[in-house]
Amino acid sequence: MALTGAHCEGLIRLAEAVGKKLAIGHELRLSSLWGKVKEMVDAGSVGEPLYVLVELWRRPYRQGSAGWRYNRDRVGSWILEEPIHFFDLARWYYGRQGDPIAVYARANSRQSGHPELQDNFSAIVSFPRGAYAVISQTLGAFEHHQTVKLTGTRGSLWAAWSGALDRDLHPRYSLKYHDGEKVVDIPLSTTSGEVYELEAEIDMMVKAVRGEGPIAADGTDGKWAVSLCLAAQQSVDSGKVVILS
């Protein structure tokens, strides 16, 4: 959404002032796979959520147009580049638990010329009543493999997605649910993957402009995701837990 909380606030106020809809591109919310996890959590399938892991194993980032991903003035940090989506997923899954309350994070870089752009990153986000989420990413690997594991007081979910690239047209994916006694494979309604989620996001926005449907992630969601990333970077830099105000 932006590189600072103040800029997020400015966008929210501007949208309100001119009467426009503000949608933030957290396309994972529109995924048949990651969205099914949310649906099952909200339906009470796992009871009260206690633990969420969102983990990504992938190859290094592409440079992007004019090398923007490697320009900190433009990308801010690599925590804001991709883990921001995972922070949003965790907050989304814990939506009924209350807002995040603290972040602790660690990171390092294998790039001698870019120590500020961390290839390896992990964070623990604390939520009310003892619940927490683990967000972890490495860019020093190969292919593209994302996992969400979620456990609660009554059951657990394991979602996995794998492809040669992030925009693989023919990925492998699965969702398994354990109710405390048996494991069940959960079918999905559509193919999962970023290509398909971006299409769904465009469709969502067209419908929202026509007044035919809601926005998946609004300015408040976007600001929360940015705030969590900035808190994580602060924790990496200081080595301390950051309390969220």
Side-chain angles (χ1 to χ4, degrees):
M1 180 179 182
L3 303 186
T4 67
H7 194 178
C8 292
E9 286 281 2
L11 289 171
I12 292 170
R13 288 196 300 270
L14 178 60
E16 291 173 347
V18 297
K20 300 296 184 182
K21 295 181 182 294
L22 176 60
I24 309 304
H26 289 303
E27 71 273 4
L28 298 187
R29 291 190 178 210
L30 295 162
S31 161
S32 59
L33 177 59
W34 316 121
K36 188 66 175 180
V37 172
K38 169 68 171 173
E39 179 185 323
M40 294 184 69
V41 168
D42 286 352
S45 299
V46 300
E48 182 176 352
L50 298 172
Y51 165 84
V52 175
L53 166 69
V54 185
E55 190 262 347
L56 177 66
W57 166 286
R58 64 162 291 164
R59 61 190 296 169
Y61 288 141
R62 296 180 293 274
Q63 291 280 329
S65 178
W68 73 269
R69 278 196 182 89
Y70 290 74
N71 181 343
R72 192 161 190 180
D73 290 337
R74 297 182 69 184
V75 74
S77 76
W78 278 352
I79 300 174
L80 280 163
E81 209 290 327
E82 193 159 26
I84 192 167
H85 294 284
F86 310 148
F87 281 109
D88 179 69
L89 272 188
R91 178 176 167 268
W92 193 42
Y93 292 152
Y94 276 133
R96 297 182 180 182
Q97 307 296 100
D99 292 329
I101 56 179
V103 179
Y104 175 71
R106 295 296 301 258
N108 58 41
S109 176
R110 64 193 181 112
Q111 303 175 80
S112 58
H114 285 282
E116 78 286 359
L117 296 175
Q118 291 105 359
D119 306 90
N120 303 305
F121 166 77
S122 298
I124 297 177
V125 185
S126 299
F127 287 81
R129 301 195 295 278
Y132 70 96
V134 178
I135 311 296
S136 192
Q137 166 180 286
T138 180
L139 308 178
F142 54 88
E143 300 174 343
H144 196 101
H145 305 278
Q146 184 175 337
T147 298
V148 167
K149 295 178 180 178
L150 189 150
T151 64
T153 54
R154 285 193 348 200
S156 54
L157 291 160
W158 181 352
W161 190 97
S162 292
L165 295 168
D166 49 356
R167 295 182 179 175
D168 196 318
L169 291 172
H170 304 287
R172 304 180 306 278
Y173 51 90
S174 64
L175 176 59
K176 296 180 180 294
Y177 168 61
H178 188 261
D179 62 5
E181 295 183 0
K182 62 183 182 298
V183 177
V184 179
D185 288 310
I186 305 297
L188 302 181
S189 57
T190 59
T191 303
S192 174
E194 186 180 28
V195 172
Y196 307 101
E197 291 149 14
L198 292 174
E199 289 179 349
E201 192 170 48
I202 294 169
D203 184 59
M204 173 212 70
M205 195 61 193
V206 170
K207 289 178 179 176
V209 169
R210 291 174 174 170
E212 298 172 358
I215 284 171
D218 62 16
T220 299
D221 297 316
K223 183 187 172 188
W224 258 112
V226 169
S227 298
L228 287 166
C229 288
L230 296 177
Q233 187 67 64
Q234 182 183 343
S235 180
V236 168
D237 295 341
S238 68
K240 298 178 181 179
V241 174
V242 174
I243 305 301
L244 301 171
S245 60

